[in-house]
Amino acid sequence: MKKIAVVILNWNGVQLLEQFLPSVVKYSSEADIYVADNASTDNSISFVEANFPIVKIVKNTGNYGFAKGYNDALQHIDTELYALVNSDIEVTENWLQPIIATFEKEPETAIIQPKILDFKNKEYFEYAGAAGGFIDKYGFPYCRGRIFDTIEKDNGQYNDACEISWASGACFFIRSKVYHELQGFDADFFAHQEEIDLCWRAKNKNHQIKYNPNSVVYHVGGATLQQGNPKKTFLNFRNSLLMLVKNLPKENFYSTLFIRLSLDGLAGIHFILQGKFAHCWAILKAHFAFYALFSKTYKKRAHFQSKRYYNTKNIVINYYINNGKVFVK
């Protein structure tokens, strides 16, 4: 058994495995490599078995999405460190060494994200994580290198290792004992923002989350669910509200949640003005789903919500009114 396991979640993604698994195998000699399969109906499993016998396969019994898919698979993988890697990630030479070294030197660091660049435009950061994630006071996630839909070019401006608020699930390193201590991802999320919720819960336990620019990967993004898909809008809006219910500090709970719900309403109006009626409907459905899950989610609140994670920045105002298109902590 090696110190780190690279685990790639797959569902009917044989074409992505054909394209991106070779780089993982080539540059991950330090790791055991797994494909965690969510009951694919294509030939994903036979392709891996025939072409990459070194890769181990964990078979889930259904398509459980990102959250439960990883939760179930990781029950069967015994290692010190998990590297949860999207199937549309191209890794680079020596991508694992800086991460392993940081974990060894910093016992208080529980989660690490590498630099994530755009596979289709490699001079730019990629939407899902960029150079490390933060969250504003109303639960809107943003990154060093990406605020809403504005993506920065990588000019070395984020080549400093630093503490961040959340690490992208596209390429997510975590100590296995911390993952299981936190009981993994919240399966109610299915997909999207479950990694932010997990990071928030890790912060509540006083774990540190780091960004390491010396490890670089390239992410296609939207390979399984395109950015403009209303289903993605639904999941993002619903899960962001669920995350706030679970993790907001008590004294900010009701006021922040009310304002966030109001801002979602403005987002719906914005979609209508753009003619994107399906996205407005997705927000409405997200709110109904949120209300249905409110009681269950509220019971998941921890005894302590860390204020360290609670950011007073309002990126909606900063972005749309103050023209704040570039990251400023």
Side-chain angles (χ1 to χ4, degrees), residues 26-308:
K26 181 177 181 179
Y27 295 127
S28 306
S29 59
E30 304 90 341
D32 291 315
I33 304 172
Y34 293 80
V35 168
D37 188 75
N38 263 345
S40 292
T41 56
D42 66 0
N43 63 328
S44 295
I45 298 299
S46 59
F47 166 77
V48 174
E49 290 175 337
N51 294 279
F52 299 98
I54 194 174
V55 175
K56 303 172 185 180
I57 298 171
V58 178
K59 297 180 182 180
N60 291 334
T61 56
N63 178 19
Y64 299 129
F66 186 97
K68 182 172 167 54
Y70 267 124
N71 287 350
D72 285 9
L74 295 181
Q75 296 293 329
H76 305 285
I77 299 174
D78 184 16
T79 189
E80 183 178 338
L81 305 171
Y82 293 138
L84 311 184
V85 180
N86 276 16
S87 57
D88 58 348
I89 287 277
E90 179 184 77
V91 305
T92 60
E93 189 173 2
N94 299 319
W95 72 295
L96 290 176
Q97 288 91 326
I99 304 296
I100 295 172
T102 301
F103 278 125
E104 289 176 342
K105 293 176 185 176
E106 302 178 8
E108 70 282 1
T109 296
I111 299 169
I112 302 175
Q113 182 198 298
K115 178 186 284 190
I116 302 178
L117 299 176
D118 189 344
F119 177 78
K120 293 168 286 189
N121 194 352
K122 293 188 174 182
E123 294 182 346
Y124 283 80
F125 289 101
E126 206 279 318
Y127 182 94
F134 292 84
I135 188 169
D136 88 338
K137 66 185 298 183
Y138 298 119
F140 292 104
Y142 61 102
C143 307
R144 301 203 313 166
R146 190 273 295 173
I147 300 178
F148 288 121
D149 293 327
T150 301
I151 313 291
E152 292 182 49
K153 186 176 182 179
D154 177 21
N155 295 314
Q157 68 271 41
Y158 304 122
N159 280 351
D160 56 319
C162 66
E163 187 168 1
I164 56 178
S165 296
W166 57 269
S168 171
C171 192
F172 186 94
F173 295 87
I174 185 170
R175 296 185 189 273
S176 60
K177 66 178 182 180
V178 173
Y179 185 90
H180 294 295
E181 170 199 342
L182 297 170
Q183 299 182 324
F185 297 114
D186 188 331
D188 286 337
F189 282 47
F190 186 78
H192 294 293
Q193 300 203 31
E194 63 281 287
E195 79 270 44
I196 306 177
D197 169 67
L198 181 68
C199 288
W200 199 333
R201 289 186 281 122
K203 290 277 190 177
N204 287 338
K205 297 284 187 180
N206 292 316
H207 294 298
Q208 290 190 9
I209 303 167
K210 294 289 183 70
Y211 160 74
N212 192 318
N214 298 315
S215 174
V216 179
V217 302
Y218 297 96
H219 184 216
V220 173
T224 55
L225 193 60
Q226 291 294 327
Q227 187 64 28
N229 191 314
K231 184 176 181 180
K232 185 185 285 280
T233 300
F234 167 81
L235 290 169
N236 277 327
F237 276 81
R238 184 200 65 175
N239 292 350
S240 184
L241 291 168
L242 296 177
M243 179 176 62
L244 289 175
V245 169
K246 291 176 65 177
N247 298 296
L248 277 172
K250 181 171 61 176
E251 56 269 34
N252 304 106
F253 183 84
Y254 289 106
S255 60
T256 300
L257 196 59
F258 175 78
I259 294 172
R260 173 55 196 266
L261 289 167
S262 301
L263 289 171
D264 284 1
L266 292 176
I269 294 171
H270 181 66
F271 279 133
I272 289 174
L273 294 175
Q274 291 181 314
K276 298 179 179 179
F277 302 107
H279 291 274
C280 180
W281 178 237
I283 294 175
L284 286 172
K285 290 195 296 183
H287 278 215
F288 285 125
F290 163 68
Y291 297 138
L293 287 168
F294 181 89
S295 179
K296 178 183 179 182
T297 305
Y298 189 84
K299 293 174 182 177
K300 297 177 184 178
R301 283 178 62 83
H303 294 295
F304 172 71
Q305 273 73 30
S306 173
K307 292 182 180 179
R308 288 193 307 133

